[in-house]
Amino acid sequence: MDFDKIKELMDDENQDDLQLPTSLENLKESQMPIAKIRKTMKGEIAIQLFGIVMFFAFPFLIKMYELPRAVYFIFMFITSLMTLGYLAKMIWFLRRTSNVGQQTKVTILNFIHDIKLTMEVYKTGIIAGSLLLPVSVASIFMGAEKYGHDRFTEWFMLQMSTSTLLLVILGYLISGVIIYYITVKWADQLYGVHVRKLEEILKQLEE
């Protein structure tokens, strides 16, 4: 038998597996960012679910006029659907990466790819949901009975001068830009730094 050829074939198979070097240092370096991402994501899912419950409970704690109350529940329902959408994506990501402890270059590359896709869904959901929040907040502060007459209905029905309407639109657009900027920075601080760390580790392993 041609043992040299058999050995060459075995080496090729091992190369295809793309196993990470057995260096304990490299293994620990790759595990730390992954563990931090998963831990952060689990905590954020719990906080977001708690926030949904609290937002829906709020109208039961204060008396609101009929239209502001209805608008609040409608907008919060839409916002909650968006939130649950990206939370479902995050839960799917956690389940998919639950066995990432058996690490190869391929699994880490897949992890990076999946987290980036998840973050795009996350940022889109946060931005879209946050753009609806000003209406919900306005319905509380302008439609609560303890704050006087129902100013929210006038605002919501656009019963205002043209100049005031233009200011409202401009303020809404500015708030949208601010929300986008904050969301991108927030996601980068929570997850982006760890993803870049994983990418650096992969580059070092390929050198």
Side-chain angles (χ1 to χ4, degrees):
M1 296 180 65
D2 190 346
F3 290 102
D4 291 335
K5 187 170 184 179
I6 294 175
K7 184 178 182 301
E8 183 179 347
L9 289 172
M10 292 178 64
D11 290 340
D12 290 339
E13 289 179 359
N14 290 335
Q15 182 65 27
D16 290 338
D17 289 339
L18 294 175
Q19 294 291 331
L20 288 176
T22 56
S23 168
L24 184 60
E25 181 180 354
N26 287 332
L27 183 60
K28 288 183 177 180
E29 277 189 51
S30 60
Q31 285 177 335
M32 286 177 60
I34 291 174
K36 288 179 179 179
I37 289 173
R38 288 176 53 81
K39 182 179 179 180
T40 301
M41 195 170 288
K42 289 177 182 178
E44 188 166 5
I45 290 172
I47 292 172
Q48 295 275 7
L49 291 175
F50 178 76
I52 291 174
V53 174
M54 290 301 298
F55 275 120
F56 272 104
F58 196 80
F60 296 101
L61 303 178
I62 62 173
K63 292 184 178 180
M64 299 176 65
Y65 292 102
E66 184 176 347
L67 180 61
R69 183 184 178 90
V71 170
Y72 180 87
F73 277 118
I74 291 172
F75 274 71
M76 283 309 305
F77 176 75
I78 297 172
T79 303
S80 297
L81 285 180
M82 294 178 180
T83 304
L84 291 174
Y86 68 75
L87 289 183
K89 177 67 174 176
M90 293 169 78
I91 292 172
W92 171 86
F93 170 81
L94 289 174
R95 290 174 61 88
R96 179 178 170 85
T97 60
S98 59
N99 62 343
V100 79
Q102 298 179 345
Q103 293 166 333
T104 65
K105 288 183 182 179
V106 172
T107 58
I108 294 180
L109 282 171
N110 287 337
F111 183 92
I112 293 173
H113 178 263
D114 287 341
I115 187 62
K116 286 184 175 181
L117 289 179
T118 302
M119 286 303 97
E120 288 303 314
V121 175
Y122 169 82
K123 288 187 286 187
T124 302
I126 286 286
I127 292 169
S130 297
L131 289 175
L132 299 177
L133 282 180
V135 178
S136 301
V137 173
S139 68
I140 292 175
F141 287 99
M142 299 172 66
E145 293 183 7
K146 69 176 182 178
Y147 294 131
H149 72 283
D150 184 7
R151 293 176 296 159
F152 177 80
T153 300
E154 298 176 2
W155 177 81
F156 191 72
M157 302 300 292
L158 301 180
Q159 297 174 356
M160 61 186 74
S161 64
T162 303
S163 59
T164 303
L165 178 60
L166 291 175
L167 288 175
V168 170
I169 295 174
L170 179 62
Y172 211 85
L173 292 175
I174 293 174
S175 68
V177 173
I178 293 173
I179 289 171
Y180 174 79
Y181 178 79
I182 292 174
T183 301
V184 171
K185 287 295 182 182
W186 176 259
D188 184 69
Q189 289 296 319
L190 287 180
Y191 306 104
V193 290
H194 302 307
V195 173
R196 288 193 293 273
K197 179 63 177 177
L198 281 174
E199 290 174 336
E200 290 175 5
I201 292 172
L202 284 177
K203 288 181 181 178
Q204 293 174 2
L205 293 172
E206 291 172 355
E207 290 178 356

